[in-house]
């Protein structure tokens, strides 16, 4: 019998996880919770998804012609597990209700690590999360860092990571957030919080991150320098990156390098919503010097955590092993490894 | 027997027209001409589209592993009609070859009006183009102006048009074009060329346009003021806009107003490449004062001319009537009328 | 004896008005009110300007080493008139204090028209504001509209105005405001509030405005269509624009057309903060058709209202006539007419 | 007797160097060479600077009313030394003429290192350039890297540098260059050319750089990781940065962190053209871990090389020692050390 999954917070992350849940053989989407009757709600309704709203919002939804299936509490009760994709910090308030109703829950990276029994990255610590009632999928940037670090760790033991993160300032739909013409240190303090977030999954790793916000909406980019225990060869690093699921390589030979060009590739490939949940490593950027491996990659912030949420559900509910879950998630969502282009 | 269509120039417009041709019951895509072996070429190849290249480029395509079906001349010979979607001005050079090989051709708005026997807008002058060997689909901005003007003309005779055009500066994939933080008069001379381009379809219309480039890649926006012969009511204007194919209305009630939000709607609706070939009129903006109708609308430059190209093929080849062609094009491409959201 | 002027709210507008006050022969800056101890406060302090803060903020200012001269109430008491340049809506709260302490005050366009006894545009209605205790300088966009309308009104009586406003989304220093890549109808309803704001100065004018936000920080641009009682000649329109103070013409012949290029001109001309308080009309855009005059112009939102604030102080305090005030303001601030370049 | 300096290429860099030359006690600006009669030429003329143009361009300048003092060859002949600030690669063509006429010349970073007898950074290798006929001031990014590396080298010997460079995509006045909404690897290959350019001044330094272009016009930002021979303390690194000329520290306490806010500080400080030729190190970002020093800084690309050009003139002409030249340049241009804000 499939697990009943509810999505609380149907925005950028929530709507993607909802779609992904509907593609899993072992899951059923019982409904989504929404607070404002906007176009996301209206399109969900047109797709036949059941919408639950706060008691006091029922009228607003009625007025614009979006039928309501019940209250958020009704939804939580009907589910075995909730994926909480509410805005930063709101999940912490909902946790009390999940606990009261004795439901498992998956939180997002906008919540503090302490909210959960385990922070989660499928390729790094699936097993640690097995059976945990509350799991937190780390943020988009941290998910990307963890994927590449855990991959490179297979070449030789990772001893030190230094990374610069150039963050997109807003998601494409977010028109109120800036900057319009500025770089913004995020923060002007070193290390940025991303290092600590990586440490919530790989404890004791020597990692320092610096971050800056750039006026773009499409993708983040990371510039990473990993010091390994041993000297390695470029081909070994490349080979591991080529063979790690959820990482794709992008060669310069087809002229797609800029993040806007990668989005165009996704459009031409008919990816849903032009999403690319894989970390996109620029294959020409891989540079090895003694025991240092350096490279750059692009991160599609809107979709990268979607497969992790699906795996986190399985880990929490002890549905299957890491290998099986990752394989089924990848197949159902069309997530690749190897060369994207 | 279906008409054999070739696409010369497989970029933003060409790749979309190619996809649209493949969806028509009365057309067959014989292949596309491409000059650089980039990701667009590679993905076309993976989709099974035959690629023809200039003689001297065969080697370049070979080197990156994209098989070539022949030269551009081979392609032209194999076709009944060519859709020329090469860059501005390049079509004029190809016209000589099309003439020599006695092929019909459809050109784009980047070519001068003189290149063709008729400039074309399906809703305005399909019949005028019937059987014409060379037809030019007007530019994205002009296509939008013509759609709205010809629609409003059904409410009462259009006597005067004054419009301001805020142009997107580049398509999403174009990373070399600016500006980054500026408005750029386009040109600082009034009227802009768009008025003259409208006159290539509706001769003698009193129209003045002013245009400016804004640093965005998603859509154009138009602010139009139409003076009619008679006083009209707002509801009559709205009703015509609601019932004109290729025009959709966007109500503010679902919170999608910014062009970035309209793109998000297209993504959520699973539109291919998040295209919206319909003119998107903001229904709340329709304002009527005596015999003046004013409103604002958004124009998705990458896709708006796609249905026009399909209809232009049919007009040129005398395949069917305007009504039938427009209907079949709309149905095959999922083009709506009424409220988008 | 000079008038004692206080500035409440020392941000984009406040700091410029403060500098302008210090350049007037008949005014004395008694100090400025500031709530956050940021770089604007710190630089004001280094320039020798006295800073007054809310009682509860004294400690914050102390901590970062910015000396405080007293509370905001102390400042208000020490002044004859206050220029309130606090954020939108905050002025309305302060008005109660100004009334209580029986002080005259100048408000900005972010306040409702009802806050004041007169809305103000120096070239249009200086005399109406003479001796009024509370005057509101209209917003940057409205100030620009009024300057051009009142100028063109000298050619022939203005009967109708239709204008499209392309607004800069944020000031240069504002890094939190977007959009990054979108046009945003402002609002998607016609007419925008600018028409009503123009009517607060020229009652009964038939004006309709439409507005959109573009992702740029430098300047607004307007596209205006003015219908006159009589047919006019282009040279008459140009001649009036050339001879109106606070309007400058920009010819295309020196290659400065984009707003970013106009800022570069201001930098090269060593304008303070590269401000251009004059409305910048593109001389090549002036287009006349029968009794319609159309043209486009750029508006430097940060500085355009500065001379109006100075004149409003004089009008409120009955210091001198419109002609004298405008002349002295222009001379002291280096404000031009004729060709900028 | 002052040295006669000519500027060839009067754009972003050339106009700033011209202004700086005019402020030096030991230099005289004989004139500037300009190819297009744009606003920069017009304003130079209004400032009384003599303009020399290619023979064939005299007519164009005449037509728009900019008087011409002679041909570019006349200018070169009249000078002792030429600062060549023509576009990338054009300087190489002019070198032949400088050689023929036996004139010294200073080139910019857009030229290949081989063009000159020495690549130059005042704080690193002034003495190496003494008396060299052809000197190349390295690019804006390289100048910044060299300033910080040579400064930190005083704390302890620099053994290894790893840096990520986030480049502004265009200067403020350049409206044709993009991207508008993309990050663009520059290139997607590691190391970027900046490492090699640093090595043109500090040979044998182990340095790897990665670079990306962001859609902003204001400043570059660098994220640097320097490995030293010895363990150091944060206070030692900070103290050296505080005491190095042409480096300023920016503390977060006054709320100016984003590059747009730093420009606002420059505007409020009445810096000419709001230039900041100093490297701006975020003091809160300085982070020391054993023998690694990490920090981030902003680079105003338009002005950072100006003082270097002045010093390079003195080095080439053997006018004075490094210490004296740097001191006089800094004083005449108001270049600071210590805290900017
Ligand atoms: N957007 C990204 O790039 C991204 C990437 C990774 C992780 N995340 C994390 O995912 C979480 C969600 O972010 P998002 O970008 O999807 O935000 P979003 O704003 O797009 O969506 C949030 C949704 O929650 C709803 N909501 C708001 N208040 C609510 C409440 N009290 N109860 C129920 N629903 C409520 C909103 O209506 C909205 O639908 C955050 O923790 C964020 O940090 C976001
Ligand atoms: N992009 C838009 O928004 C838009 C909208 C409406 C009309 N148009 C018009 O459509 C036409 C094509 O524009 P686009 O945006 O698709 O351009 P594009 O640059 O995206 O595509 C042009 C294609 O032509 C190919 N090409 C270049 N030179 C060629 C040659 N000599 N022979 C054959 N192919 C060649 C290029 O490789 C590229 O694939 C232009 O006339 C343009 O004005 C463009
Ligand atoms: N920025 C523009 O382009 C522009 C143009 C024309 C008119 N205006 C109008 O001018 C007014 C000020 O706008 P701005 O752009 O200068 O804003 P701003 O945010 O740059 O400055 C506002 C200042 O007010 C201070 N402040 C905030 N709350 C305060 C309080 N309770 N008491 C005292 N001071 C307080 C802030 O510290 C800040 O210094 C608004 O009404 C705005 O609509 C702005
Ligand atoms: N802009 C920057 O941020 C920056 C920073 C550091 C170094 N540089 C370097 O400085 C040099 C100049 O760049 P810029 O940004 O000042 O360029 P720019 O385009 O602003 O100015 C170049 C000037 O050279 C003139 N010019 C063009 N062709 C000429 C010719 N044949 N003869 C004489 N003059 C000619 C142009 O009219 C223009 O005035 C380049 O090598 C560049 O790499 C630029």
């Amino acid at each position: 019998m499939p697990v009943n999954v509810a999505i609380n917070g149907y925005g950028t992350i929530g709507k993607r996880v909802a779609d992904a849940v509907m593609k899993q053989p072992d899951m059923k989407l019982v409904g989504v919770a929404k607070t404002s009757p906007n176009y996301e709600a209206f399109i969900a309704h047109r797709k036949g998804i059941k919408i639950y709203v706060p008691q006091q919002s029922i009228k607003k939804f009625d007025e614009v012609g979006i039928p309501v299936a019940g209250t958020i509490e009704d939804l939580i009760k009907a589910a075995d597990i909730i994926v909480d994709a509410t805005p930063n910090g709101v999940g912490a308030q909902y946790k009390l209700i999940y606990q009261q109703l004795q439901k498992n829950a998956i939180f997002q990276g906008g919540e503090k690590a302490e909210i959960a029994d385990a922070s989660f990255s499928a390729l790094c610590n699936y097993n640690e999360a097995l059976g945990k009632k509350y799991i937190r999928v780390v943020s988009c940037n941290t998910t990307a860092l963890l994927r590449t670090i855990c991959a490179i760790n297979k070449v030789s033991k990772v001893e030190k990571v230094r990374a610069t993160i150039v963050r997109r300032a807003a998601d494409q739909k977010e028109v109120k957030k800036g900057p319009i013409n500025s770089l913004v240190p995020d923060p002007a303090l070193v290390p940025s919080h991303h290092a600590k977030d990586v440490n919530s999954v790989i404890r004791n790793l020597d990692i320092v991150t610096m971050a800056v916000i750039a006026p773009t909406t499409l993708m983040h980019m990371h510039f990473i320098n990993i010091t390994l225990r041993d000297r390695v060869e470029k081909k070994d690093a490349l080979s591991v990156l080529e063979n790690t699921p959820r990482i794709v390589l992008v060669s310069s030979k087809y002229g797609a390098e800029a993040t806007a060009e990668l989005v165009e590739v996704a459009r031409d490939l008919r990816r849903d919503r032009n999403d690319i949940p894989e970390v996109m490593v620029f294959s020409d950027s891989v540079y090895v010097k003694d025991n240092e491996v350096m490279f750059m990659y692009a991160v599609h912030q809107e979709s990268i955590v979607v497969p992790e949420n699906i795996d986190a559900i399985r880990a929490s509910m002890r549905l299957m092993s890491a290998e099986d879950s990752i394989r089924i998630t990848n197949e159902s969502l069309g997530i690749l490894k190897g060369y994207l282009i």
Side-chain angles (χ1 to χ4, degrees), chain A:
Chain A
M1 231 183 44
V3 171
N4 289 314
V5 182
I7 310 288
N8 188 10
Y10 187 80
T12 298
I13 300 303
K15 67 187 174 187
R16 285 173 169 82
V17 175
D19 287 343
V21 163
M22 290 191 282
K23 290 185 179 155
Q24 304 310 312
D26 51 349
M27 300 182 193
K28 186 173 171 303
L29 182 71
V30 291
V32 305
K34 191 90 194 81
T35 49
S36 64
N38 71 353
Y39 60 91
E40 289 172 324
F42 181 68
I43 296 173
H45 154 62
R46 287 205 342 202
K47 284 166 71 169
I49 294 175
K50 283 199 194 139
I51 297 170
Y52 295 78
V53 311
Q55 183 69 46
Q56 72 274 17
S57 305
I58 297 182
K59 195 151 161 282
K60 279 194 302 183
F61 279 73
D62 269 3
E63 277 164 14
V64 299
I66 304 177
V68 166
T71 65
I72 299 192
E73 206 169 313
D74 293 339
L75 174 66
I76 295 170
K77 281 183 188 154
D80 299 317
I81 185 167
I82 292 97
V83 176
D84 185 299
T86 57
N88 297 354
V90 175
Q93 300 163 29
Y94 274 107
K95 188 180 173 188
L96 305 173
I97 307 181
Y98 306 149
Q99 283 178 310
Q100 216 176 335
L101 299 174
Q102 305 207 332
K103 302 292 179 178
N104 287 22
I106 310 298
F107 296 96
Q108 308 304 317
E111 303 300 321
K112 298 225 175 76
E114 296 71 42
I115 202 174
D117 306 320
S119 282
F120 182 79
S121 164
L123 302 189
C124 297
N125 74 335
Y126 185 99
N127 288 334
E128 191 188 334
L130 264 179
K132 293 272 163 41
K133 207 160 181 71
Y134 303 112
I135 299 178
R136 172 179 163 268
V137 171
V138 291
S139 78
C140 41
N141 278 304
T142 311
T143 296
L145 283 167
L146 284 166
R147 275 197 203 153
T148 54
I149 293 168
C150 287
I152 293 296
N153 196 45
K154 291 185 209 150
V155 189
S156 159
K157 190 170 178 332
V158 169
E159 307 230 300
K160 195 165 87 172
V161 177
R162 300 290 177 262
T164 302
I165 293 169
V166 182
R167 283 188 47 192
R168 66 81 183 102
D171 290 336
Q172 185 168 280
K173 71 173 182 183
E174 295 178 302
V175 296
K176 296 221 169 118
K177 276 198 204 162
I180 290 167
N181 185 27
S182 185
L183 297 172
V184 185
D186 183 44
L189 204 78
V190 176
S192 72
H193 77 278
H194 306 91
K196 212 182 124 201
D197 208 22
V198 165
N199 282 330
S200 74
V201 172
I202 319 182
R203 275 167 279 283
N204 305 324
L205 177 66
D206 174 4
I207 175 167
V208 179
T209 52
M210 309 201 218
V212 66
I213 295 171
T216 179
T217 63
L218 302 177
M219 292 182 193
H220 307 299
M221 276 191 65
H222 291 189
F223 303 83
I224 200 168
N225 181 323
I226 303 178
T227 303
L228 299 174
R229 192 172 46 201
D230 312 305
R231 278 170 169 264
V232 298
E233 300 284 324
K234 174 171 171 171
K235 68 171 172 33
D236 299 327
L238 262 177
S239 156
V240 159
L241 292 169
E242 276 169 29
N243 288 297
T244 304
R246 300 190 186 167
I247 291 178
V248 289
L249 290 164
V250 177
S251 150
S252 301
K253 78 176 168 183
Y254 294 123
E257 292 192 346
T259 55
E261 292 165 339
L262 296 177
V263 170
E264 189 78 2
V265 167
R267 295 171 89 191
D268 286 354
L269 290 175
R270 296 294 187 279
R271 291 276 186 124
D272 268 1
R273 294 192 175 90
N274 54 56
D275 284 351
I276 313 185
E278 299 94 343
V279 165
M280 290 157 275
V281 175
F282 295 98
S283 61
D284 297 306
S285 78
V286 179
Y287 180 73
V288 174
K289 187 156 200 237
D290 303 333
N291 59 339
E292 279 178 89
V293 179
M294 295 166 241
F295 53 94
M296 39 174 105
Y297 55 91
V299 180
H300 185 234
Q301 78 279 355
E302 298 174 315
S303 62
I304 186 172
V305 298
V306 174
E308 312 293 319
N309 272 279
I310 298 300
D311 292 331
I313 294 170
R314 293 212 184 87
S316 177
M317 305 299 288
R318 285 189 182 279
L319 296 185
M320 58 183 81
S321 71
E323 292 62 37
D324 287 345
S325 178
I326 291 172
R327 185 177 40 78
I328 292 177
T329 303
N330 292 351
E331 281 171 8
S332 60
L333 302 182
I335 292 174
L336 304 178
K337 68 177 181 189
Y339 279 82
L340 175 68
I341 190 97

PDB file of all heavy atoms in Angstrom, chain A residues 26 30 40 73 76 78 189 199 270 274 314 331:
ATOM      1  N   ASP A  26       5.322   3.976  -5.026  1.00  0.00           N
ATOM      2  CA  ASP A  26       5.028   3.631  -3.629  1.00  0.00           C
ATOM      3  C   ASP A  26       4.469   4.805  -2.818  1.00  0.00           C
ATOM      4  O   ASP A  26       4.482   4.777  -1.601  1.00  0.00           O
ATOM      5  CB  ASP A  26       6.291   3.080  -2.945  1.00  0.00           C
ATOM      6  CG  ASP A  26       7.499   3.991  -3.127  1.00  0.00           C
ATOM      7  OD1 ASP A  26       7.412   4.940  -3.951  1.00  0.00           O
ATOM      8  OD2 ASP A  26       8.523   3.761  -2.471  1.00  0.00           O
ATOM      9  N   VAL A  30      -1.961  12.893  -1.040  1.00  0.00           N
ATOM     10  CA  VAL A  30      -3.320  13.077  -0.514  1.00  0.00           C
ATOM     11  C   VAL A  30      -3.824  14.499  -0.724  1.00  0.00           C
ATOM     12  O   VAL A  30      -5.012  14.747  -0.787  1.00  0.00           O
ATOM     13  CB  VAL A  30      -3.443  12.679   0.977  1.00  0.00           C
ATOM     14  CG1 VAL A  30      -3.286  11.172   1.127  1.00  0.00           C
ATOM     15  CG2 VAL A  30      -2.438  13.420   1.837  1.00  0.00           C
ATOM     16  N   GLU A  40      -0.731  29.378  -8.613  1.00  0.00           N
ATOM     17  CA  GLU A  40      -0.229  28.030  -8.303  1.00  0.00           C
ATOM     18  C   GLU A  40      -1.377  27.175  -7.763  1.00  0.00           C
ATOM     19  O   GLU A  40      -1.507  25.995  -8.118  1.00  0.00           O
ATOM     20  CB  GLU A  40       0.925  28.112  -7.299  1.00  0.00           C
ATOM     21  CG  GLU A  40       2.192  28.704  -7.940  1.00  0.00           C
ATOM     22  CD  GLU A  40       3.317  28.984  -6.951  1.00  0.00           C
ATOM     23  OE1 GLU A  40       3.009  29.389  -5.809  1.00  0.00           O
ATOM     24  OE2 GLU A  40       4.489  28.799  -7.318  1.00  0.00           O
ATOM     25  N   GLU A  73      -5.274  21.083   8.878  1.00  0.00           N
ATOM     26  CA  GLU A  73      -5.270  20.009   9.876  1.00  0.00           C
ATOM     27  C   GLU A  73      -5.887  18.733   9.301  1.00  0.00           C
ATOM     28  O   GLU A  73      -5.381  17.634   9.530  1.00  0.00           O
ATOM     29  CB  GLU A  73      -6.006  20.462  11.140  1.00  0.00           C
ATOM     30  CG  GLU A  73      -5.498  19.715  12.360  1.00  0.00           C
ATOM     31  CD  GLU A  73      -6.009  20.330  13.664  1.00  0.00           C
ATOM     32  OE1 GLU A  73      -5.944  21.567  13.805  1.00  0.00           O
ATOM     33  OE2 GLU A  73      -6.461  19.549  14.519  1.00  0.00           O
ATOM     34  N   ILE A  76      -3.227  17.090   7.266  1.00  0.00           N
ATOM     35  CA  ILE A  76      -2.167  16.439   8.050  1.00  0.00           C
ATOM     36  C   ILE A  76      -2.667  15.106   8.604  1.00  0.00           C
ATOM     37  O   ILE A  76      -1.968  14.092   8.582  1.00  0.00           O
ATOM     38  CB  ILE A  76      -1.697  17.387   9.182  1.00  0.00           C
ATOM     39  CG1 ILE A  76      -1.036  18.631   8.547  1.00  0.00           C
ATOM     40  CG2 ILE A  76      -0.735  16.684  10.127  1.00  0.00           C
ATOM     41  CD1 ILE A  76      -0.744  19.750   9.534  1.00  0.00           C
ATOM     42  N   ALA A  78      -4.845  13.173   7.355  1.00  0.00           N
ATOM     43  CA  ALA A  78      -5.033  12.173   6.299  1.00  0.00           C
ATOM     44  C   ALA A  78      -3.723  11.583   5.784  1.00  0.00           C
ATOM     45  O   ALA A  78      -3.724  10.633   5.006  1.00  0.00           O
ATOM     46  CB  ALA A  78      -5.817  12.798   5.141  1.00  0.00           C
ATOM     47  N   LEU A 189      30.876  38.151   6.127  1.00  0.00           N
ATOM     48  CA  LEU A 189      31.598  37.418   7.159  1.00  0.00           C
ATOM     49  C   LEU A 189      32.011  36.068   6.582  1.00  0.00           C
ATOM     50  O   LEU A 189      31.258  35.463   5.831  1.00  0.00           O
ATOM     51  CB  LEU A 189      30.631  37.189   8.339  1.00  0.00           C
ATOM     52  CG  LEU A 189      31.239  36.960   9.703  1.00  0.00           C
ATOM     53  CD1 LEU A 189      31.681  38.277  10.307  1.00  0.00           C
ATOM     54  CD2 LEU A 189      30.204  36.302  10.606  1.00  0.00           C
ATOM     55  N   ASN A 199      28.468  20.628   7.481  1.00  0.00           N
ATOM     56  CA  ASN A 199      28.872  19.884   8.675  1.00  0.00           C
ATOM     57  C   ASN A 199      27.703  19.214   9.400  1.00  0.00           C
ATOM     58  O   ASN A 199      27.906  18.305  10.192  1.00  0.00           O
ATOM     59  CB  ASN A 199      29.609  20.816   9.652  1.00  0.00           C
ATOM     60  CG  ASN A 199      31.036  21.064   9.210  1.00  0.00           C
ATOM     61  OD1 ASN A 199      31.663  20.215   8.572  1.00  0.00           O
ATOM     62  ND2 ASN A 199      31.565  22.228   9.525  1.00  0.00           N
ATOM     63  N   ARG A 270      12.782  19.570 -23.392  1.00  0.00           N
ATOM     64  CA  ARG A 270      11.420  19.420 -22.862  1.00  0.00           C
ATOM     65  C   ARG A 270      11.416  18.958 -21.420  1.00  0.00           C
ATOM     66  O   ARG A 270      10.539  18.194 -20.992  1.00  0.00           O
ATOM     67  CB  ARG A 270      10.610  18.410 -23.685  1.00  0.00           C
ATOM     68  CG  ARG A 270      10.361  18.799 -25.089  1.00  0.00           C
ATOM     69  CD  ARG A 270       9.458  20.018 -25.126  1.00  0.00           C
ATOM     70  NE  ARG A 270       9.072  20.299 -26.501  1.00  0.00           N
ATOM     71  CZ  ARG A 270       9.853  20.951 -27.367  1.00  0.00           C
ATOM     72  NH1 ARG A 270      11.050  21.418 -26.995  1.00  0.00           N
ATOM     73  NH2 ARG A 270       9.439  21.168 -28.591  1.00  0.00           N
ATOM     74  N   ASN A 274      11.424  23.359 -17.388  1.00  0.00           N
ATOM     75  CA  ASN A 274      12.869  23.459 -17.622  1.00  0.00           C
ATOM     76  C   ASN A 274      13.724  23.279 -16.373  1.00  0.00           C
ATOM     77  O   ASN A 274      14.740  23.942 -16.180  1.00  0.00           O
ATOM     78  CB  ASN A 274      13.259  24.707 -18.442  1.00  0.00           C
ATOM     79  CG  ASN A 274      12.742  26.017 -17.880  1.00  0.00           C
ATOM     80  OD1 ASN A 274      13.017  26.337 -16.727  1.00  0.00           O
ATOM     81  ND2 ASN A 274      12.040  26.759 -18.696  1.00  0.00           N
ATOM     82  N   ARG A 314      11.241   8.108   1.806  1.00  0.00           N
ATOM     83  CA  ARG A 314      11.472   6.659   1.911  1.00  0.00           C
ATOM     84  C   ARG A 314      12.343   6.302   3.110  1.00  0.00           C
ATOM     85  O   ARG A 314      12.121   5.294   3.785  1.00  0.00           O
ATOM     86  CB  ARG A 314      12.128   6.137   0.627  1.00  0.00           C
ATOM     87  CG  ARG A 314      11.199   6.232  -0.587  1.00  0.00           C
ATOM     88  CD  ARG A 314      11.446   5.121  -1.579  1.00  0.00           C
ATOM     89  NE  ARG A 314      10.599   5.304  -2.755  1.00  0.00           N
ATOM     90  CZ  ARG A 314      10.941   6.051  -3.815  1.00  0.00           C
ATOM     91  NH1 ARG A 314      12.125   6.660  -3.872  1.00  0.00           N
ATOM     92  NH2 ARG A 314      10.108   6.155  -4.833  1.00  0.00           N
ATOM     93  N   GLU A 331      14.838   7.160 -11.893  1.00  0.00           N
ATOM     94  CA  GLU A 331      14.105   6.660 -13.068  1.00  0.00           C
ATOM     95  C   GLU A 331      12.768   7.381 -13.235  1.00  0.00           C
ATOM     96  O   GLU A 331      12.410   7.813 -14.323  1.00  0.00           O
ATOM     97  CB  GLU A 331      13.870   5.152 -12.939  1.00  0.00           C
ATOM     98  CG  GLU A 331      15.116   4.360 -13.307  1.00  0.00           C
ATOM     99  CD  GLU A 331      14.974   2.878 -12.968  1.00  0.00           C
ATOM    100  OE1 GLU A 331      13.855   2.443 -12.592  1.00  0.00           O
ATOM    101  OE2 GLU A 331      15.992   2.151 -13.064  1.00  0.00           O
TER     102      GLU A 331
END
